[in-house]
């Protein structure tokens, strides 16, 4: 969305100037764009912040479901239970 705004500003700044004595000015539009990436892969189940909201380092932005890890954890737990059964 910010890129569209920048494009609109650039297009508006490039229009022909009127001859009625109007003042035409140009400038720079700057914004900060930050890419975020999760520490683990997963499907987004909930987004906890609105677009444009201020956040700090460490804030939770979204909740991920990790079905692959859930299945792997269940498989590991089954292995532990089987090992315990053999020991008993």
């Amino acid at each position: 969305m910010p890129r569209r705004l920048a494009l609109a500003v650039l297009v508006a700044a490039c229009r022909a100037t009127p001859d009625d004595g109007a003042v035409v000015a140009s400038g720079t539009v700057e914004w900060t764009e930050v890419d975020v990436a999760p520490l683990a892969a997963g499907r987004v189940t909930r987004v906890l912040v609105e677009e444009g909201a201020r956040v700090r380092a460490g804030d939770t932005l979204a909740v991920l479901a990790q079905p692959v890890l859930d299945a792997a954890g269940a498989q590991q737990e089954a292995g532990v239970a089987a090992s315990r059964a053999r020991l008993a």
Side-chain angles (χ1 to χ4, degrees):
M1 196 65 90
R3 290 184 181 166
R4 290 183 188 164
L5 175 64
L7 181 60
V9 170
L10 289 174
V11 169
C14 293
R15 283 193 270 183
T17 58
D19 292 332
D20 61 0
V23 176
V24 177
S26 63
T28 303
V29 176
E30 294 184 28
W31 67 87
T32 301
E33 184 174 315
V34 179
D35 293 325
V36 294
L39 298 175
R43 169 171 263 176
V44 175
T45 58
R46 291 187 329 172
V47 177
L48 303 176
V49 295
E50 296 289 325
E51 183 177 345
R54 290 185 180 265
V55 295
R56 287 181 258 143
D59 286 353
T60 301
L61 306 179
V63 177
L64 303 178
Q66 300 172 323
V68 173
L69 293 180
D70 293 341
Q75 186 177 15
Q76 293 294 324
E77 289 175 4
V80 170
S83 296
R84 286 185 178 155
R86 274 182 274 169
L87 285 174

